Amino acid sequence: MGFDLGPLLLRLKTLYTTSDHASVVSINLFVALLCACIVIGHLLEENRWMNESITALAIGICTGVVILLTTGGKSSHILVFSEDLFFIYLLPPIIFNAGFQVKKKQFFRNFMTIMLFGAVGTLISFAIISFGATEIFKKMDVGLLDIGDYLAIGAIFSATDSVCTLQVLNQDETPLLYSLVFGEGVVNDATSVVLFNAVQNFDLSHINSHTALQLLGNFLYLFFTSTLLGLVAGLLSAYIIKKLYFGRHSTDREVAIMILMAYFSYMLAELFYLSAILTVFFCGIVMSHYTWHNVTESSRVTTKHTFATMSFIAELFIFLYVGMDALDIEKWRFVKSSPGKSCAVSAILLALLLIGRAAFVFPLSFLSNLMKKNPTEKIRFRQQIIIWWAGLMRGAVSMALAYNQFTRSGHTQLRGNAIMITSTITVVLFSTVVFGLMTKPLIRILLPSSLKRTSSISSDNGSPKSFLYPLLGNGQGSEVETGDIPRPTSLRMLLQTPTHTVHHYWRRFDDAFMRPMFGGRGFAPFVPGSPTEQSVHNAWES
């Protein structure tokens, strides 16, 4: 007796077609929402309270409510969140663009302070949050959480939201604050992810001094290896573009090789279980210093706006989805029997977050001020308050790490996991909205003088010329602005002005060895038929 496969194949084809059509509908709705975020964000551009992150969150929450009502309370999503989607596709363009477009003079001038806040400060915050969560949550009977979960909580809530920070601080109005908070945010995110991965890779059932040293050693190894990989990837891209002169045939190839090399560095770091955030950030810095100056003028304009646009869309996507995910019934139904406990856990996490950040911002600022002789470079107390406040926002990195630790295939399995997921959502929403809304008014109150700067600098930022900045200067005339840095003649000068000393020796090394090999400012790309370009090229080759 034969078996007719016709009806079965027809049924499968119908299901596939329906599923494919549903995906197309979902993507259309999401793209429409992204367009709405851009339009509404533009209309609210001059609003002193709102920013695009909060706008996207609000639109996401409203959309989630509409979807809940239309589906009878079954779902609030039109797309399914995945930490792989976040870490592999959405985060790389954001972090790379941050490194590519940062004002590197300010960043490296405050490099030691940024590393203090981003690395040492994150470790302090991690220790305080982990210890506090362990001691308090065990007494509250939150659920079946082990020591690895408590350490993961410390890493999750130590990760600041550098994306939202970029939007609430202005690089021209408050350059010092922007440099410190932004730089700390990127290093902080990378440090938190490295800590999270280190915690997951160790057997924490028996913690002793040997395990703690192994954990620290693994952290340092990941930190420095990830940074080195980013530097190598950036230098390799500069060398390839300088030697092969893609611009003689096609500027598209120059742009493509820059995008692909940056993404390749990120994926290599993921492949070898390193910190991809650190890798792609430093790859962006190196590319902006060497690679970007080796391409043609049209490629420079194209890459600047391409990277910025990709980053902008990824940021909107993240906050839009976080808003919808906050209303996911699947997570909240596990804690509906004890909503008070979930609220208490969220409040405790917020308190630990506030204490953990204050525990390193003020002491490390004091330590940083001791190392600075110039009074204008010291961090005043009012600035320390803003640094503490602006870094309290938690965002997509915390969400992704929480999903990774406390969910299986996007759904919670245990009551303790459900409480931690919903508490993370609550903390992310509260910190982004409340702390984000209050940051700009706080700056106006504490630092009113910073808002009286002329707008000539900011109005010129959109032009291609304004993006022609070297690594440690603001343009071809940076030496004129900063003055000649005296050659260090003693160990005392090195200790008194370490940043200027390192800058002096780095500039000599860069001019003598790095730029002749990798190009950069001062090296003009080859353009057929241009005597000037050819002469510069020959000079560098010699």
Side-chain angles (χ1 to χ4, degrees), residues 242-243 245 248 522-527 531-542:
K242 178 177 180 292
K243 289 295 182 183
Y245 319 120
R248 75 172 76 175
F523 170 79
F526 173 81
V527 177
T532 304
E533 300 293 345
Q534 185 63 59
S535 62
V536 174
H537 164 66
N538 291 336
W540 275 110
E541 284 297 299
S542 62

Side-chain angles (χ1 to χ4, degrees), residues 234-235 237-239 285-295 471 506 509-511 513-521 523:
L235 291 174
S237 70
Y239 187 80
I285 289 179
V286 173
M287 277 193 176
S288 69
H289 183 52
Y290 295 111
T291 313
W292 190 78
H293 291 276
N294 295 341
V295 301
L471 180 63
W506 159 251
F509 176 78
D510 192 31
D511 291 338
F513 300 102
M514 301 298 288
R515 287 177 182 167
M517 180 176 293
F518 299 106
R521 182 170 60 89
F523 170 79

Side-chain angles (χ1 to χ4, degrees), residues 93 96-98 100-104 171 254-255 258-259 287-288 292-293 295-312 457-469:
F96 175 78
N97 185 64
F100 192 76
Q101 302 216 32
V102 68
K103 288 188 176 179
K104 287 165 278 296
Q171 191 164 198
E254 291 180 322
V255 177
M258 289 182 71
I259 294 174
M287 277 193 176
S288 69
W292 190 78
H293 291 276
V295 301
T296 58
E297 184 71 22
S298 59
S299 293
R300 295 179 190 180
V301 178
T302 303
T303 51
K304 173 195 172 184
H305 293 293
T306 298
F307 296 146
T309 302
M310 292 169 61
S311 173
F312 177 70
I457 298 178
S458 60
S459 64
D460 192 50
N461 281 342
S463 64
K465 188 184 296 185
S466 69
F467 196 61
L468 306 177
Y469 292 152

Side-chain angles (χ1 to χ4, degrees), residues 65 243 352 375 384:
V65 172
K243 289 295 182 183
L352 291 173
Q384 295 175 29

Side-chain angles (χ1 to χ4, degrees), residues 119-130:
V120 179
T122 304
L123 290 173
I124 294 172
S125 178
F126 165 77
I128 291 175
I129 295 175
S130 297

Side-chain angles (χ1 to χ4, degrees), residues 2-27:
F3 180 72
D4 188 7
L5 292 176
L8 179 59
L9 293 175
L10 182 62
R11 176 67 173 166
L12 290 175
K13 182 179 180 181
T14 303
L15 289 173
Y16 173 78
T17 305
T18 304
S19 175
D20 189 58
H21 180 71
S23 299
V24 172
V25 171
S26 299
I27 293 174

Side-chain angles (χ1 to χ4, degrees), residues 64-352:
V65 172
V66 173
I67 296 174
L68 278 176
L69 294 176
T70 55
T71 60
K74 294 180 180 179
S75 174
S76 67
H77 296 129
I78 53 178
L79 291 175
V80 177
F81 180 85
S82 166
E83 56 267 24
D84 291 334
L85 170 69
F86 172 74
F87 278 109
I88 295 178
Y89 299 108
L90 298 178
L91 193 60
I94 297 174
I95 302 301
F96 175 78
N97 185 64
F100 192 76
Q101 302 216 32
V102 68
K103 288 188 176 179
K104 287 165 278 296
K105 182 178 180 180
Q106 279 286 344
F107 180 82
F108 283 96
R109 175 181 291 171
N110 301 292
F111 186 74
M112 293 304 297
T113 305
I114 288 171
M115 294 304 296
L116 271 178
F117 285 169
V120 179
T122 304
L123 290 173
I124 294 172
S125 178
F126 165 77
I128 291 175
I129 295 175
S130 297
F131 178 78
T134 304
E135 294 299 316
I136 298 173
F137 292 163
K138 281 183 178 179
K139 299 177 181 178
M140 292 179 60
D141 188 26
V142 171
L144 297 176
L145 301 177
D146 56 28
I147 184 63
D149 292 326
Y150 291 121
L151 292 177
I153 290 171
I156 289 168
F157 290 99
S158 294
T160 63
D161 183 10
S162 56
V163 175
C164 198
T165 300
L166 292 175
Q167 297 185 6
V168 298
L169 292 178
N170 187 288
Q171 191 164 198
D172 296 312
E173 291 179 352
T174 54
L176 175 62
L177 288 179
Y178 184 94
S179 174
L180 290 177
V181 178
F182 157 72
E184 178 228 332
V186 175
V187 179
N188 170 285
D189 284 348
T191 306
S192 299
V193 174
V194 169
L195 277 172
F196 184 83
N197 292 334
V199 166
Q200 286 194 322
N201 294 334
F202 275 87
D203 180 16
L204 300 172
S205 56
H206 302 288
I207 295 183
N208 50 40
S209 58
H210 180 68
T211 306
L213 287 176
Q214 276 188 317
L215 193 64
L216 179 62
N218 188 49
F219 166 75
L220 294 175
Y221 164 77
L222 291 174
F223 196 90
F224 289 108
T225 308
S226 303
T227 302
L228 181 62
L229 178 59
L231 298 178
V232 171
L235 291 174
L236 181 60
S237 70
Y239 187 80
I240 291 174
I241 290 179
K242 178 177 180 292
K243 289 295 182 183
L244 298 183
Y245 319 120
F246 289 105
R248 75 172 76 175
H249 297 303
S250 170
T251 58
D252 296 339
R253 293 173 184 171
E254 291 180 322
V255 177
I257 199 70
M258 289 182 71
I259 294 174
L260 292 175
M261 284 295 292
Y263 190 67
F264 183 55
S265 71
Y266 186 91
M267 294 310 299
L268 270 181
E270 288 287 335
L271 178 65
F272 294 110
Y273 302 101
L274 302 175
S275 172
I277 296 177
L278 266 183
T279 297
V280 79
F281 176 70
F282 280 99
C283 180
I285 289 179
V286 173
M287 277 193 176
S288 69
H289 183 52
Y290 295 111
T291 313
W292 190 78
H293 291 276
N294 295 341
V295 301
T296 58
E297 184 71 22
S298 59
S299 293
R300 295 179 190 180
V301 178
T302 303
T303 51
K304 173 195 172 184
H305 293 293
T306 298
F307 296 146
T309 302
M310 292 169 61
S311 173
F312 177 70
I313 294 174
E315 291 170 11
L316 286 183
F317 186 100
I318 289 171
F319 284 104
L320 188 61
Y321 191 89
V322 167
M324 286 188 286
D325 191 65
L327 300 176
D328 186 19
I329 297 299
E330 187 67 28
K331 303 176 186 66
W332 291 100
R333 70 182 181 88
F334 282 89
V335 296
K336 64 181 180 180
S337 59
S338 55
K341 182 165 290 187
S342 180
C343 292
V345 170
S346 301
I348 291 169
L349 288 173
L350 274 170
L352 291 173

